[in-house]
Amino acid sequence: MADWWDADGRRHRKQFSNAAAAREHEHRETALAHAERASREMKLAARTGGGKRSQSKPETGTMELAKGKLGVMIPGMGAVATTFVAGVEAIRKGLAKPIGSLTQMGTVRLGKRTDGRSPKVKEFVPLAGLDDLVFTGWDIFEDNMFEAASNAGVLDYRLLEQLKPFLSSITPRAAVFDHNYVKKIDGPNVKKGKSKMDLAEQLRDDIRDFKKSSGASRLITMWCGSTESYIEPTEAHQSLKAFEKALRENDEMIAPSMIYAYASLMEGVPFANGAPNLTVDLPVMLELSRKNEAPICGKDFKTGQTLMKTVLAPAFKARLLGLAGWYSTNILGNRDGEVLDDPGSFKTKEESKLGVLEHILQPGLYPELYGNIFHKVRINYYPPRGDNKEGWDNIDIFGWLGYPMQIKVDFLCRDSILAAPIVLDLVLFLDLAQRCSELKGLGIQEWLSFYFKSPMTVPGLYPEHDLFIQLMKLKNTLRHLKGEELITHLGLEYYD
Ligand SMILES: NC(=O)c1ccc[n+]([C@@H]2O[C@H](COP(=O)([O-])OP(=O)(O)OC[C@H]3O[C@@H](n4cnc5c(N)ncnc54)[C@H](O)[C@@H]3O)[C@@H](O)[C@H]2O)c1
C-alpha cells in the first residue's frame, strides 16, 4: 500500500507495485482533475463571457489599507540584504529605478483585451509604499549596512557613498548562530543563551524592541542568512508542542534559522525564507503560522540558473521535445559561494535546485520524453568573480524521430542584483497577505511561488515550477482578491 495525493491535496491509499507507479498514478489523476476543471471553466466562460464587457464582482473578503510604517527585519545582512536596502534607499532618493520588481513596475490586465485596463500592481492592490519601509537586521559580523555593502562589492562605491549616512545607521543585532550549521564562517556578534528556547526569547525581545523604537505598525521577517547544512524533518518539527520541548532541550535538529522563524511567528510576524534551508517548511511552522495569522513562504530565491530552467523546461514540454540530460554548473566568488563550498550547505542547495525539472516535465505522464533524464547541478567557489556569477547549462534534447540537439546557456549574471527586487516584492506581498482576511490564516502563500526555486505547498500537493504558471497564479490571486474576473486566455468571445 502507498499514499497518493489528489489535485486538491487530499490523501488516498492504494496498492501499487512500487513508488514510481504511485507517483505516476498521482500525476495522471492530478492532470485529469486539472483538465476536467479547466474544461468546466472554459465552458462556463464561453457561456457567460460572449461579447459582453467584463463585470467586476465585489472584493473577496476584506483588505486593510497599508497604514503606518512597515518594519523589515533581516537575519543575514550580507550581499542580498544590503543590495536590497541600499537599492530601496537609492530609489527613494530618485537615484535609480526599481528594475525587476513586479510590485513597482508590473501591471495587471483586467477584463477583456479590448477593455484597455492595465493598472500598475501597486495601484491595483494596497501595498506599502517604499517611503514607509524601515529596516533592521541580525548578523554574526559587526559591520553596519554601509560596511557590509562595501565588502559585498555588488554596488558601485559612488552610489554607496551617496547612501552612506542612511546605511551606516543600520547596525546588526547579535545573531543566533551555530558554526555547526554553517561550517565555512564564524563571527563575534552572536547571542549567548542557556537553551535554544532562551535564544528564541532574546529574538522575540529584539522584535518587540524594533517595533517600539521604529514606530512600525507592521513587521516582516526576511531570511537572507547563509545556507545551513542539510536537515531532514524529525519528530521535533511535527507540532508546536514537540518543537518547544526540543527548543528547551537544545535538540540538534533545530537550526538557527528555525529559531528566528519560531520567534517571528510567535510574535505574529510573517516570515519569508530566501535560502534553501527547511526553516518554515515544517509542520510546526505551518501550525504556528495559521494559528497566529502570520503568513509564510519560501524557499530559496529563484534568481539565475533556476530562473532560466523554469523558462526553458516548460517550452520543451509545451512542444513535446524530449530531454536526455541537463548539466548545470556555476562559478561564483561571494560569501554565499564560500558557504556553499561546504558539502552540508551544498546538499541543501542541491536538493532545492534538483526538484525543478521533475515537477515541470512530469516523467510519469511522459515517460518516453522525460523518463530518463541525467540532471546534474554543480556550484564552484571561484573568488575572482565575486557576486558576478557565471552559470553554464548544457542541455541535451531530442526531437522528431529521436534526433538529438543541444542548447548551451551562458548566463553572466549578478546574483544579488537579481535577488534584491525579489526581496522587495516578497516584503510587500507578504505584508499585503497579512492584511487580507482571505489569505492571512492560510499559512503558506503558494501564490508567491513565482519567487522561489523550491516553492512551499501544503503537504502532498506538488509545487508549480513553471514561471508563467506561477505568474498567472500570482496575478489571478490579486484579481480574485479584488473581485475581478480571472483570466483564462480562452478568448472565444472576441469571435462571436
Ligand atoms: N543571491 C542570490 O541570487 C541568491 C539566490 C537564492 C538564494 N540565495 C540565498 O540567500 C542567502 C543570502 O545570500 P547572500 O549572497 O546575501 O549571502 P552572504 O553570505 O553575502 O550573506 C549572508 C549573511 O548571513 C549571515 N548569517 C549567517 N548565519 C546567520 C545567522 N544565523 N544569523 C544572522 N546572520 C547570519 C552571514 O554572516 C552573512 O553576512 C543565502 O542563503 C543564499 O544561498 C541567494
Side-chain angles (χ1 to χ4, degrees), residues 79-80 139 176 224-227 260 274 300-301 303 335-336 349 415:
V80 171
D139 207 289
V176 170
C224 290
S226 309
T227 301
Y260 286 93
D300 207 4
F301 302 130
T303 48
R335 195 183 282 148
D336 185 31
K349 194 63 135 185
D415 240 8

Side-chain angles (χ1 to χ4, degrees), residues 339-356:
V339 165
L340 293 173
D341 215 28
D342 169 64
S345 294
F346 175 69
K347 170 124 174 78
T348 311
K349 194 63 135 185
E350 191 184 25
E351 288 285 317
S352 163
K353 282 177 165 253
L354 281 178
V356 168

